[in-house]
Amino acid sequence: MPRLTLVPHTPRNPAPCPTQELQEIIDDLHAARDGMTDGPEVLWLVNDLMSWCDSRIEDGDMQATGNAQLTLSRQNFMARLTGYAENIRRSNGEITDDFLAFLATVQTAMDAPTTN
């Protein structure tokens, strides 16, 4: 009979999507701004970014239950991201400098605040 190995419970859940994946999407969007990507591919990148953020927020909301400030911050971030995504879709993949500056705030918006 095979032996069953028990793994101890850890209180932290792994991140739903690796940060490296986020950075790759952002790097690809910067390359797209430099003219290295066509419109339809840019739209796929924006969809990937939206999906990454959405899944991170869903998992984060389960861990940050009761933190109204974090929830509001994430809702505001997603509203702004959705606005940028709509503008990019309407322009068939044109990325603005404002959007790239906004991308610098993605990780901060997704991370739960730490207490020291």
Side-chain angles (χ1 to χ4, degrees), residues 34-115:
D34 296 334
M36 302 175 76
T37 307
D38 62 359
E41 191 170 334
V42 170
L43 300 178
W44 279 108
L45 289 170
V46 171
N47 287 341
D48 288 347
L49 178 65
M50 297 282 296
S51 176
W52 190 94
C53 292
D54 189 47
S55 66
R56 183 71 181 240
I57 286 174
E58 283 180 14
D59 287 348
D61 283 349
M62 290 180 195
Q63 295 173 4
T65 303
N67 188 338
Q69 181 181 2
L70 178 60
T71 301
L72 182 60
S73 172
R74 287 177 173 169
Q75 287 173 350
N76 287 337
F77 174 84
M78 285 303 292
R80 289 185 64 203
L81 179 58
T82 301
Y84 279 114
E86 289 301 318
N87 288 338
I88 291 168
R89 288 181 185 117
R90 275 188 294 245
S91 68
N92 194 32
E94 184 179 334
I95 295 176
T96 64
D97 291 335
D98 288 343
F99 176 66
L100 293 180
F102 175 73
L103 289 181
T105 68
V106 172
Q107 193 63 51
T108 303
M110 295 298 113
D111 288 341
T114 56
T115 55

